[in-house]
Amino acid sequence: MSDKYAVFGNPIKHSKSPAIHAAFAAQCGQQIQYRAVRVDEGDFTRAAREFFSTGGAGLNVTVPFKEEAFRFADRLSERARRAGAVNTLSRAADGQVEGDNTDGIGLVRDMVANLGWVIQGQRVLIIGAGGAVRGVLEPLLREQPREVFIVNRTPQRAEQLAQEFADCGALAGGGYDALGERQFDLVINASSAGLAGEMPDLPSALLTERSCCYDMIYGAEPTPFMRWAAHHAAWAVSDGLGMLVEQAAQSFYIWRGVRPATQAVIGEIREAMLAA
């Protein structure tokens, strides 16, 4: 009998995770069941406990339950501990539930392995200071960028986040007025503005002729941030679909002990989105 996996979220209707993990399983010769489950807010702990008590082997967790998954786990990886959030739960051999966060690994692998971008030695700007940023900071800083600056509409949130992760590398934070005439080699949009079709208020001189711009959200059409980057002649621009597939690949590896190839799966999901 195949092992049971699921993704819990709300909303969850348009989740790509079932298609991604089905592709991984077929590629790797693994027998699994994987489904998307909409969980009511306030009901995550009960639903997760029931899932594991009835034989569930692993869960992916998306918004708005990553912090609840952090509290639910019996044991945490160091990545998850630093992030304060969990997107991957797995049942260990001793019956305990282990929590991990694969978002940062997904971001870094997409940039470096798939896109061929360089993080080491680069000046990095991160737009936003919410949970999405907290989840990727530690793996990103392990790539040894020259500096990372977090900018946020509420400067105090960016400054606090920078202080929390200061032991991981050269990190600072502030408001948009702190950007001044500074330029960056890599700009990562992790703000929620793009979900509402809005664009962060960025200086036009932010980019160099070799700057790469990455939006952590994705869609069939370019996001407002991607359009801004292209308009300002960024050297390379990408959305976050590759990050989605790469973080799922890391979850699959944690659960099954095999690492799927991701390039073809990214292409398949992209084609399906464009055809929808």
Side-chain angles (χ1 to χ4, degrees):
M1 187 168 61
S2 55
D3 291 332
K4 294 191 303 181
Y5 300 92
V7 56
F8 280 10
N10 187 349
I12 201 67
K13 182 178 179 181
H14 299 294
S15 173
K16 306 292 187 294
S17 293
I20 292 170
H21 283 279
F24 289 164
Q27 177 195 131
C28 299
Q30 299 284 305
Q31 297 296 317
I32 70 169
Q33 300 175 43
Y34 190 107
R35 62 194 183 103
V37 179
R38 181 186 179 277
V39 176
D40 291 335
E41 294 194 40
D43 197 36
F44 175 84
T45 297
R46 184 208 61 78
R49 187 177 292 122
E50 179 180 335
F51 175 83
F52 283 107
S53 68
T54 56
L59 278 178
N60 283 137
V61 182
T62 188
V63 291
F65 300 121
K66 291 183 181 183
E67 291 183 0
E68 288 184 65
F70 176 87
R71 294 189 292 270
F72 177 81
D74 299 310
R75 290 194 293 262
L76 296 165
S77 71
E78 183 57 30
R79 284 192 300 265
R81 198 178 304 279
R82 291 303 302 255
V86 159
N87 76 337
T88 303
L89 292 167
S90 52
R91 189 183 63 226
D94 63 1
Q96 298 284 285
V97 175
E98 298 179 338
D100 206 338
N101 191 309
T102 67
D103 286 332
I105 290 176
L107 174 70
V108 170
R109 284 186 64 86
D110 190 38
M111 286 183 178
V112 176
N114 297 332
L115 300 171
W117 297 1
V118 176
I119 299 174
Q120 185 175 16
Q122 302 296 288
R123 299 165 297 176
V124 180
L125 175 67
I126 300 177
I127 304 165
V133 177
R134 181 181 293 275
V136 303
L137 268 179
E138 192 257 1
L140 186 69
L141 287 163
R142 286 194 181 279
E143 293 296 303
Q144 299 181 320
R146 185 196 307 180
E147 62 170 317
V148 174
F149 189 82
I150 304 169
V151 66
N152 194 59
R153 286 196 174 99
T154 306
Q156 293 80 3
R157 292 189 66 185
E159 293 164 1
Q160 180 181 351
L161 203 52
Q163 290 172 3
E164 287 184 36
F165 286 83
D167 62 302
C168 295
L171 185 61
Y176 285 92
D177 58 352
L179 293 175
E181 298 297 315
R182 298 178 66 179
Q183 291 186 310
F184 295 89
D185 308 299
L186 173 60
V187 181
I188 302 169
N189 181 35
S191 73
S192 58
L195 296 172
E198 300 173 358
M199 176 61 211
D201 184 20
L202 300 174
S204 58
L206 197 69
L207 307 182
T208 73
E209 61 181 12
R210 299 291 290 179
S211 295
C212 297
C213 293
Y214 192 96
D215 200 331
M216 286 173 60
I217 65 172
Y218 61 90
E221 301 294 330
T223 66
F225 174 74
M226 293 171 68
R227 291 196 295 269
W228 176 89
H231 177 74
H232 288 85
W235 181 67
V237 181
S238 179
D239 69 3
L241 180 62
M243 174 183 171
L244 174 72
V245 176
E246 290 293 347
Q247 63 81 26
Q250 183 66 22
S251 294
F252 193 89
Y253 175 73
I254 290 169
W255 294 332
R256 310 299 296 180
V258 291
R259 186 180 298 281
T262 53
Q263 288 277 13
V265 178
I266 294 170
E268 289 172 15
I269 300 300
R270 179 81 67 192
E271 288 179 13
M273 281 182 6
L274 293 173

